[in-house]
Amino acid sequence: LYRGGPHVIMYLMHIVIDIGGTKTRIGFSEDLNSFAEIKRYDTPEDLESLQNLILTETEKHDIESVRIGIASTIAKETNTIITDRNIGYIKGLKPEDIYTPGGKISMNNDTELAALGEYFYGDWEKKPNIMAYITLSTGVGGSRLINGKLDETPHNYEPGRMIINKEGQEKDPSGGVGTFEAYCSGIGFLNIYGQNPQDCKDSSIWARYSRDLAVGLTNISLIWAPDVIVIGGGLSQKADLFIDSTVRKMATLSSDLKIPEIKISKLGDRNGLLGGLGAAPTK
């Protein structure tokens, strides 16, 4: 599909925008099968800068659809952002407040799109019936798919906010104490251990981290009963330092139940964009 006169051909472009607590990615697709281009930026520090960034990168295209994935809780009935713990200026926004030019537009929590990307574009011999996706990034988030479909819920899941240590003192960005996110996110890692996880090589720190992660993933296993848990996000790049000990600890925490297969994402930061291809808005 294209618009234009006899000397100008302009393909209708599908845009997927993945807005995380640290990084923002914009993907451009002509066919909803692959990306012609992906651009990456630091997430802007205010709404006007975010709007200007998106507008600058998209205004030269004729837009068919826009799918936004954002690191926040979204009320699905009203398509409104209801929390702002990872990005401090987005509470109360609808997708059209982020992107205003023409084209069909919709919005999901970023981990919902990442889960769809992992399911449809991941490395599978056989796709699982029930798949959980957990991102270990600036925050901790996650979603569940049953036969490739997101659960129908009033708002997206927030597994990072589950309590894994009721006596804990560590706080997450929303003020929650003792939460999965407080212990296992990138911010939590820095707060507890005083190091950026990407730079940490201390095996004793990663052993402590893996124990907390095992508690969170065991709870996910018990609540969601997935066949597979896929782990993504920036901390997944360090999985060789913690995943084996995490799996061993999970086996001791839930000895009477088989723990699910644990896979590390091979899609990296493209999973949310890829999930957006399959979830492009139709109205």
Side-chain angles (χ1 to χ4, degrees):
L1 292 175
Y2 64 90
R3 297 188 184 124
H7 302 296
V8 178
I9 295 177
M10 185 178 292
Y11 286 91
L12 298 180
M13 193 69 71
H14 301 274
I15 308 294
V16 183
I17 306 169
D18 182 6
I19 305 170
T22 304
K23 298 293 182 180
T24 291
R25 306 160 187 91
I26 304 178
F28 303 83
S29 176
E30 297 174 355
D31 56 8
L32 287 178
N33 290 314
S34 61
F35 287 106
E37 185 177 22
I38 295 175
K39 295 188 175 183
R40 295 171 172 83
Y41 314 87
D42 293 334
T43 295
E45 296 183 357
D46 59 80
L47 178 59
E48 184 178 1
S49 297
L50 177 64
Q51 292 169 328
N52 288 339
L53 169 65
I54 295 171
L55 182 60
T56 298
E57 293 300 337
T58 60
E59 63 184 353
K60 58 181 175 289
H61 299 287
D62 198 2
I63 307 299
E64 171 71 7
S65 69
V66 176
R67 170 68 76 176
I68 297 172
I70 193 161
S72 188
T73 309
I74 298 171
K76 295 185 178 181
E77 184 175 355
T78 60
N79 212 14
T80 302
I81 298 171
I82 58 177
T83 63
D84 59 0
R85 67 186 186 281
N86 291 318
I87 306 170
Y89 51 86
I90 59 174
K91 187 176 181 179
L93 298 182
K94 295 179 180 291
E96 55 268 24
D97 297 321
I98 298 171
Y99 179 88
T100 55
K104 299 179 284 289
I105 184 169
S106 60
M107 182 169 63
N108 284 79
N109 172 264
D110 58 345
T111 64
E112 291 183 325
L113 295 190
L116 290 167
E118 294 292 343
Y119 184 86
F120 289 107
Y121 293 89
D123 180 21
W124 303 103
E125 291 184 8
K126 180 182 178 182
K127 287 184 170 61
N129 293 325
I130 302 177
M131 188 201 85
Y133 172 75
I134 298 295
T135 183
L136 306 174
S137 188
T138 304
V140 172
S143 292
R144 179 174 71 165
L145 298 180
I146 299 179
N147 295 322
K149 294 183 179 180
L150 292 166
D151 288 341
E152 294 184 7
T153 55
H155 56 76
N156 54 278
Y157 289 120
E158 288 290 357
R161 302 183 74 174
M162 78 168 85
I163 307 300
I164 65 170
N165 183 358
K166 69 177 183 178
E167 305 298 334
Q169 301 299 310
E170 303 299 335
K171 292 185 178 181
D172 64 29
S174 66
V177 179
T179 64
F180 191 14
E181 184 167 87
Y183 286 91
C184 293
S185 66
I187 290 176
F189 195 103
L190 180 62
N191 288 341
I192 295 170
Y193 305 116
Q195 296 187 43
N196 186 317
Q198 300 302 326
D199 301 326
C200 180
K201 298 179 181 179
D202 187 329
S203 59
S204 65
I205 288 177
W206 286 109
R208 290 174 59 191
Y209 178 84
S210 69
R211 290 195 292 270
D212 292 324
L213 180 60
V215 174
L217 295 183
T218 298
N219 288 340
I220 292 295
S221 302
L222 296 171
I223 294 169
W224 285 352
D227 304 305
V228 178
I229 297 176
V230 179
I231 298 176
L235 273 80
S236 71
Q237 298 172 14
K238 310 295 285 188
D240 60 322
L241 297 176
F242 65 78
I243 198 62
D244 289 343
S245 56
T246 298
V247 172
R248 288 195 297 271
K249 182 63 176 178
M250 289 177 69
T252 67
L253 293 173
S254 183
S255 58
D256 56 338
L257 294 174
K258 180 181 178 181
I259 65 172
E261 178 187 0
I262 308 296
K263 288 175 64 75
I264 304 301
S265 170
K266 295 182 180 179
L267 298 179
D269 64 10
R270 297 182 300 125
N271 55 12
L273 295 175
L274 289 168
L277 290 182
T282 58
K283 60 181 180 179

